[in-house]
Amino acid sequence: MTEGPRTKKKVEKKTEKKKGKRKFSGRKLLVWLFFTGAVAVVCGIIGYLLIILNGERILTENQDKFILPEASTIYDSNHNEVMKLSQSGGNRENVEFNEIPKLVRDAVIATEDKRFEEHSGIDLWSIGRALVRDVISRSAAEGGSTITQQLAKNLFLTQDKTFFRKATEASIAVALEHKRTKDEILTMYLNRIYYGKGVYGIKAAADYYFDKPLKDLKIWEIATLTGIPKAPSTYNPIRNPEKSTERRNVVLQLMFDQGYITQAELAEAKTHTYTPTEHAVTSDTYPAFIDYLVDEAEDKTGLTEEQLRVGGYKIFTTLNTNAQSIMEKEFADDDNFEKSVDDQKVQGAMIIIDHRDGTIQGLVGGRDYEKKGTNRVLIPRQPGSGFKPVTVYGPAIDTGDYFPWSIVQDVKKCYGDYCPSDSNANKYIGPITIRQSIKESRNASAVWLLNEIGVKTGLNFAEKLGFQLDDKKDRNLAIGLGGLTTGVTPLQMATAYSAFANDGKSVDPHALLEIKDSNDQPIYQYSPPDAEQIMKPETSYYMTDIMQGVVEKGGTGTRARIDRPVAGKTGTTQHGLPNYTSSYNRDAWFSGYTAEWTAVVWMGYDRTDKNHLLKKSSSQSAAMFGKVMEAAMKDVPKSSFHKPAKVEEEKPPAGIANFNAIYDPQNVRVKLVWTAAEGSGLTYRVYRKEASEAEFTRLLDSLDTTGVDDMSVAPGMTYTYYVTPYDASKDIEGKPSGQVTVEIPAEELTPVDPEIPGNGETPGNGQTPGDGTDIPGNGGETPGDGNQNPGNGGETPGNGSGQEPGNGNDGQTPGNGGGNGGETPGNNGQPPGNGNGKDKPGTTPPDGGDPVNPDGLLPNPPVDQGTAGGT
């Protein structure tokens, strides 16, 4: 049939279409998943067996020993070996499982590995969480390690976070879980873990930090120790008490969340404050410098303190062993410190920096440093007047409006509720130069100047020098005298003063230069940051110039003088104890520098109370600076302070001599005269202050003469004057003249002396009537109904009580005058009151007149002046 072939083709096409639409059956999917799963299981089993075998192999190879890394070596700035860090692992003391209190075990498990009892060495949930966080942060930041893994790492491995190391760590952890019980693993962990300060193991840590056996630890003490291993340097309660407390509270919260302690126990444990215990001095050389070095290396490299101590590294430093040894020798000499009333010694700290390259030459963290372990170079204290260059004089000069010879006002003045006072023997001396103000460390003039430039200007300058002050709490004039919210550290002060010494450029203090591993491969190399010009070079020059005066005769820091130029500033802070009055102090500083090195010394008590205060001021700190720097710099080549090219020595006009002020009573004025200052084109500025005023004001400006009259004086007032020469072409004001004080006498009142009391010299209506003062009576010179001058009076008629009686109608001085009196009004005063005056008939209406001077001769005195006379 003709249709056959076509029909066949259609069938074939339909068949092809059906084949093209065939779907993957569910049965085949299940088969595929089964085999995939089987392969995964087999691979997992093989991988697990490999992990087990690898871990078993490592354990077998190290059956008789746990790896103790090689001690790292410290080198000084000349690459000479200084010491080896503890090779034996430092202070280590093992404990048996039955000696570990249950609450200690609970705290560690709650903090480090809450599924410790369930897993077999690896916590897959924690690993997954860590992976997610690492992906989010794009770094291997999250550990996810179990206690067993941490033990494996500490026993056999390095601290890097590579995949290979983590895999090996996991294999050892699984093998450990097969070979050891949970109790054994936890005991090994607590004996091996590092607790900072060279202390290994929970037993040694309890003894070192709390001077107690494990069984006597309280909940808060257990939590404090448990929080340390995460970052021994950061959470060490001796070095960082605040961060340690934060970490302790995290541990306590975890213990509460997991049911190990009650709410009441949680609240009670958070109330405690850690107090360091004393320990015997260790054999470590230069302990404070080494501790600082290790902290810096941790920060720069990411290595832990334990690795750095026992990692076999070669650590090259900036240490100047000569300077360091001299510092430690002087700090060991009790004669350099005040004597204390008990065992709490006056403490101190010192740091030396070569500001030319930022290298730390040496530092001392305190007397008997190892007994406390507190590096006071890093502890904030109130800086006192040592902060004036940072918040007052430095920023003022940097504005370009002030110079060392600029005049500031040392006056007693309140700024709202803030009333600064001078502590100098001669207080509030008025106008002085900035040079004198800083030399004598005057408070009133410093605050006056800060008020002039503005607190914001001072804060901004301090921030550029590296001080992060509180924007709200420190935004006040008290910062001019070093009154800060949290204080500053000797390291911060040394860094700031280094900028003054370094032409106004920033300095990066550092103790670490280079680290190499045991194969001499570089691990770290110091690279200095670009120096920042944080103040004008001219500012640093002027500041150096005026701070050199501090160590000169008459300055507050004379004991810091050595055999080369020194600039610096003393600083003393009051005790600040509530309800306690004393002139003793809390802190004493000297911050100073030569052309080569900067050094800062602090002295004071760790805990201040009324029995632990400094009786002396900053003189001992200045003396320590002088002793150390003189000896330490003996072989350092001398250089000079650098003078910027743009600086021109702007000398102010010479001072004024023979200044005098004389009161002229005839013309009621003060005549001011002086001898002209040397120089051409000078004018003069006259300043005046009335006794009740806080500060001087400029009375007259730009005078071209050497004398002037002050016509604006008032009787009974006292005025103080001074004059300054002024060079308008350079905008420079010269040194003030001496001050002269003038008292303006009060206007004298002539008293009326009663010759004859009672009814007058001639009583009645006689020639000299009675009832007056000088010549009392009811009439004038011509009594009665007057002859010479008719009316009710005589020449001076009326009902007057004195020589010029009132109430006359026809006298020469008619009207209702006299105020019951004549020459002495009221009832007895000298000038008439309520009268119409004398020899001015009819010009003033009755009972009129100025109540002060009623057209008479003298003003009206008080009504209670004089009572003599009769009616």
Side-chain angles (χ1 to χ4, degrees):
M1 295 176 59
T2 56
E3 295 294 331
R6 192 189 314 178
T7 303
K8 186 175 182 180
K9 288 180 180 179
K10 288 181 180 180
V11 173
E12 288 176 354
K13 286 182 181 180
K14 289 181 180 180
T15 303
E16 288 176 2
K17 288 181 180 179
K18 288 181 180 180
K19 285 183 180 181
K21 292 182 180 180
R22 182 178 296 172
K23 295 182 180 179
F24 191 73
S25 66
R27 182 176 180 182
K28 288 185 177 181
L29 177 61
L30 291 174
V31 171
W32 184 84
L33 290 174
F34 173 78
F35 281 104
T36 302
V39 170
V41 170
V42 171
C43 291
I45 293 173
I46 294 173
Y48 182 76
L49 291 174
L50 290 174
I51 290 174
I52 295 294
L53 291 173
N54 184 50
E56 294 282 355
R57 177 184 61 79
I58 294 175
L59 287 178
T60 300
E61 291 176 355
N62 297 279
Q63 193 67 34
D64 298 326
K65 66 175 182 178
F66 286 161
I67 297 175
L68 294 177
E70 179 185 359
S72 296
T73 305
I74 303 293
Y75 298 87
D76 67 11
S77 58
N78 294 319
H79 285 204
N80 296 319
E81 181 177 328
V82 174
M83 62 176 292
K84 287 186 178 294
L85 294 175
S86 179
Q87 187 169 0
S88 63
N91 181 10
R92 185 191 300 277
E93 195 172 356
N94 290 335
V95 64
E96 298 298 328
F97 179 78
N98 57 9
E99 296 178 289
I100 304 173
K102 182 178 183 301
L103 200 55
V104 171
R105 302 196 301 266
D106 293 341
V108 173
I109 291 172
T111 305
E112 299 293 338
D113 185 4
K114 66 180 181 181
R115 278 177 287 278
F116 174 69
E117 298 292 348
E118 287 83 40
H119 63 67
S120 298
I122 304 173
D123 189 344
L124 297 177
W125 189 90
S126 294
I127 292 174
R129 178 192 61 192
L131 288 172
V132 171
R133 292 185 179 179
D134 286 350
V135 169
I136 293 174
S137 65
R138 297 184 180 181
S139 65
E142 187 72 21
S145 296
T146 64
I147 287 176
T148 314
Q149 287 176 275
Q150 292 182 54
L151 175 62
K153 176 181 64 179
N154 287 326
L155 289 175
F156 304 110
L157 303 169
T158 63
Q159 304 277 343
D160 62 298
K161 289 190 175 184
T162 63
F163 175 79
F164 177 77
R165 198 272 293 165
K166 294 293 289 183
T168 306
E169 174 189 298
S171 68
I172 298 174
V174 173
L176 279 171
E177 291 277 352
H178 278 79
K179 294 286 186 178
R180 306 279 183 169
T181 66
K182 290 287 187 180
D183 292 349
E184 290 174 327
I185 290 171
L186 185 59
T187 302
M188 292 169 66
Y189 173 82
L190 289 174
N191 281 328
R192 182 64 182 82
I193 204 70
Y194 184 60
Y195 286 87
K197 300 297 295 179
V199 177
Y200 291 81
I202 187 71
K203 185 175 182 179
D207 178 69
Y208 185 85
Y209 289 106
F210 295 103
D211 195 22
K212 291 181 179 181
L214 273 173
K215 63 183 180 63
D216 293 337
L217 291 178
K218 298 179 181 178
I219 293 175
W220 75 270
E221 295 169 332
I222 292 172
T224 298
L225 294 181
T226 302
I228 294 176
K230 180 179 177 66
S233 178
T234 302
Y235 299 123
N236 187 301
I238 294 176
R239 292 190 190 177
N240 295 304
E242 292 183 1
K243 288 189 176 296
S244 173
T245 300
E246 293 175 2
R247 175 67 176 162
R248 178 200 70 187
N249 292 342
V250 170
V251 173
L252 289 170
Q253 189 65 45
L254 289 171
M255 294 175 70
F256 170 73
D257 292 342
Q258 297 175 46
Y260 293 120
I261 59 175
T262 65
Q263 180 70 57
E265 289 172 327
L266 170 67
E268 194 278 335
K270 287 184 175 182
T271 63
H272 292 274
T273 301
Y274 177 76
T275 301
T277 58
E278 293 191 355
H279 302 279
V281 178
T282 68
S283 59
D284 281 351
T285 306
Y286 313 138
F289 183 91
I290 298 303
D291 281 349
Y292 181 87
L293 171 72
V294 171
D295 285 347
E296 184 179 330
E298 279 188 275
D299 180 62
K300 299 297 184 182
T301 66
L303 298 170
T304 66
E305 181 182 354
E306 184 180 11
Q307 284 178 279
L308 291 163
R309 285 186 175 273
V310 293
Y313 296 105
K314 296 177 181 178
I315 305 175
F316 298 92
T317 76
T318 65
L319 178 65
N320 182 318
T321 54
N322 178 56
Q324 182 70 39
S325 298
I326 291 170
M327 292 169 72
E328 295 191 358
K329 173 179 174 292
E330 295 298 340
F331 268 70
D333 186 350
D334 292 342
D335 291 338
N336 290 327
F337 297 85
E338 286 187 27
K339 301 297 184 291
S340 178
V341 297
D342 53 25
D343 292 337
Q344 186 187 168
K345 293 182 177 181
V346 174
Q347 277 296 342
M350 183 174 186
I351 182 171
I352 300 176
I353 299 173
D354 187 329
H355 49 251
R356 296 169 296 184
D357 57 11
T359 54
I360 297 176
Q361 303 297 298
L363 61 86
V364 174
R367 303 167 71 185
D368 301 328
Y369 173 75
E370 278 299 310
K371 289 186 177 181
K372 290 292 183 182
T374 301
N375 190 347
R376 295 167 184 83
V377 167
L378 306 176
I379 300 298
R381 304 288 296 212
Q382 295 297 325
S385 293
F387 219 52
K388 291 175 181 176
V390 175
T391 54
V392 182
Y393 302 109
I397 291 177
D398 206 49
T399 64
D401 296 330
Y402 294 88
F403 299 90
W405 50 85
S406 294
I407 301 301
V408 293
Q409 297 293 333
D410 190 65
V411 292
K412 187 174 183 179
K413 182 179 180 180
C414 290
Y415 305 85
D417 295 332
Y418 182 55
C419 302
S421 61
D422 280 342
S423 58
N424 312 71
N426 186 12
K427 303 177 185 295
Y428 314 118
I429 59 176
I432 56 174
T433 63
I434 284 179
R435 179 178 283 107
Q436 183 182 356
S437 176
I438 198 170
K439 178 179 182 177
E440 299 176 3
S441 195
R442 293 191 166 272
N443 293 337
S445 50
V447 176
W448 182 90
L449 181 56
L450 178 58
N451 187 61
E452 291 293 306
I453 65 173
V455 172
K456 184 178 181 181
T457 300
L459 286 172
N460 291 342
F461 193 82
E463 184 176 358
K464 289 192 290 184
L465 286 175
F467 298 101
Q468 298 297 322
L469 304 183
D470 192 298
D471 286 339
K472 294 182 179 179
K473 296 181 180 179
D474 289 328
R475 190 172 288 275
N476 54 67
L477 291 172
I479 65 171
L481 305 183
L484 309 177
T485 303
T486 58
V488 296
T489 70
L491 174 61
Q492 289 176 309
M493 290 292 282
T495 304
Y497 274 71
S498 289
F500 288 123
N502 193 39
D503 296 331
K505 295 178 182 177
S506 61
V507 176
D508 181 43
H510 60 283
L512 180 64
L513 293 176
E514 185 180 13
I515 298 179
K516 294 181 179 180
D517 63 18
S518 56
N519 297 318
D520 279 341
Q521 295 300 309
I523 301 298
Y524 170 81
Q525 180 72 48
Y526 175 75
S527 177
D530 293 335
E532 181 183 354
Q533 191 74 47
I534 56 182
M535 71 182 81
K536 299 173 184 175
E538 295 82 4
T539 299
S540 69
Y541 173 78
Y542 286 132
M543 288 300 298
T544 298
D545 177 50
I546 62 177
M547 285 196 285
Q548 284 182 270
V550 173
V551 301
E552 296 171 355
K553 184 178 180 180
T556 59
T558 55
R559 298 181 70 183
R561 295 177 66 178
I562 60 176
D563 61 349
R564 63 182 73 204
V566 172
K569 184 69 187 74
T570 53
T572 307
T573 63
Q574 297 174 337
H575 61 75
L577 297 175
N579 303 319
Y580 182 68
T581 302
S582 171
S583 61
Y584 297 159
N585 302 301
R586 178 186 295 262
D587 304 287
W589 298 74
F590 186 81
S591 306
Y593 53 90
T594 68
E596 304 82 22
W597 289 0
T598 298
V600 171
V601 178
W602 166 84
M603 290 183 181
Y605 285 96
D606 286 335
R607 297 185 300 277
T608 301
D609 54 46
K610 64 180 181 180
N611 295 320
H612 298 97
L613 294 169
L614 299 176
K615 296 178 176 61
K616 300 179 181 179
S617 59
S618 53
S619 61
Q620 282 195 306
S621 298
M624 178 67 82
F625 175 97
K627 283 185 178 181
V628 171
M629 295 288 275
E630 181 93 56
M633 302 191 73
K634 184 177 181 181
D635 297 325
V636 177
K638 294 182 181 180
S639 55
S640 302
F641 290 120
H642 180 247
K643 181 179 180 180
K646 294 182 179 180
V647 170
E648 295 181 5
E649 199 61 41
E650 299 278 2
K651 293 185 178 180
I656 291 175
N658 302 320
F659 174 58
N660 202 2
I662 303 172
Y663 176 59
D664 177 6
Q666 288 294 112
N667 298 294
V668 192
R669 63 184 176 181
V670 173
K671 297 182 67 65
L672 305 169
V673 292
W674 59 89
T675 301
E678 295 181 4
S680 59
L682 298 180
T683 57
Y684 301 93
R685 291 176 170 179
V686 178
Y687 293 85
R688 187 186 77 175
K689 180 173 77 71
E690 199 275 320
S692 64
E693 295 175 339
E695 59 184 286
F696 285 88
T697 56
R698 195 183 301 169
L699 179 65
L700 298 169
D701 197 2
S702 298
L703 303 173
D704 57 3
T705 64
T706 56
V708 68
D709 292 343
D710 181 7
M711 307 290 292
S712 61
V713 297
M717 299 298 210
T718 299
Y719 300 94
T720 301
Y721 300 87
Y722 73 88
V723 181
T724 62
Y726 176 67
D727 187 342
S729 64
K730 298 178 181 178
D731 190 24
I732 300 175
E733 191 169 4
K735 185 177 180 180
S737 67
Q739 298 180 16
V740 177
T741 300
V742 177
E743 294 184 11
I744 311 300
E747 191 163 305
E748 295 184 3
L749 303 177
T750 304
V752 178
D753 184 19
E755 290 183 8
I756 302 174
N759 287 331
E761 188 174 335
T762 306
N765 289 328
Q767 185 177 357
T768 308
D771 205 21
T773 51
D774 189 14
I775 304 176
N778 290 327
E781 190 172 278
T782 306
D785 286 328
N787 298 317
Q788 188 176 6
N789 293 288
N792 283 333
E795 184 175 321
T796 309
N799 245 339
S801 303
Q803 208 173 53
E804 298 180 9
N807 220 10
N809 295 326
D810 287 317
Q812 274 190 10
T813 309
N816 250 335
N820 287 334
E823 191 171 306
T824 306
N827 284 332
N828 254 340
Q830 189 177 27
N834 272 346
N836 293 333
K838 183 177 181 181
D839 296 325
K840 294 183 181 180
T843 57
T844 306
D847 293 322
D850 187 338
V852 177
N853 188 11
D855 292 331
L857 297 177
L858 297 173
N860 200 18
V863 295
D864 63 347
Q865 182 175 345
T867 57
T871 57

